[in-house]
């Protein structure tokens, strides 16, 4: 079992930046990839980015590519999401997720989820 805890959310004006962090604990040795998803009110989970735990290769949704950067610290079992040039449409609850098998954009494939952190971008 893996526990994930997000932090760093908050309120920011359009054009501003936030840095989200996700701390993993428990049986983390089997982690293959970690990802960020987001969910706006009344909408489905939307893929944001993933990173492979070994090697650190990354993949981004087209909506955030060039603005967001996902990174990891293997020793600390953390994954971060640096969000720059934020837009009101980025407003959502952001979730950290971990997968023990593959790296994917499908939310239903991930094995563990955090409770989420709210990001609100004002215009």
């Amino acid at each position: 079992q893996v526990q994930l805890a997000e932090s760093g959310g908050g309120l920011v004006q359009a054009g501003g930046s936030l840095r989200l962090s996700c701390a993993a604990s428990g049986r983390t040795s089997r982690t293959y990839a970690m990802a960020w998803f987001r969910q706006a009110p009344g909408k489905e989970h939307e893929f944001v980015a993933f990173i492979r735990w070994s090697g650190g290769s990354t993949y981004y949704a087209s909506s955030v590519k060039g603005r967001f950067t996902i990174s990891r610290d293997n020793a600390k079992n953390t994954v971060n999401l640096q969000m720059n040039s934020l837009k009101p449409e980025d407003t959502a609850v952001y979730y950290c997720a971990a997968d023990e098998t593959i790296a994917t954009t499908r939310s239903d494939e991930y094995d563990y989820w955090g409770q989420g952190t709210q990001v609100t971008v004002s215009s």
Side-chain angles (χ1 to χ4, degrees), residues 39-111:
Q39 186 174 35
K43 295 186 177 181
E44 300 288 332
H45 283 87
E46 178 187 11
F47 169 75
V48 176
F50 70 62
I51 185 167
R52 292 182 172 86
W53 204 243
S54 296
S57 61
T58 60
Y59 184 77
Y60 297 90
S62 60
S63 59
V64 306
K65 189 174 183 179
R67 299 188 297 121
F68 291 9
T69 302
I70 187 170
S71 62
R72 94 293 196 207
D73 187 328
N74 298 58
K76 296 181 179 180
N77 288 316
T78 59
V79 63
N80 302 305
L81 186 69
Q82 178 66 45
M83 305 184 294
N84 299 325
S85 301
L86 284 162
K87 305 174 181 179
E89 51 262 45
D90 294 319
T91 295
V93 177
Y94 282 70
Y95 295 92
C96 178
D99 198 291
E100 295 182 342
T101 306
I102 60 172
T104 178
T105 62
R106 292 177 58 92
S107 62
D108 58 359
E109 293 289 341
Y110 281 79
D111 301 303

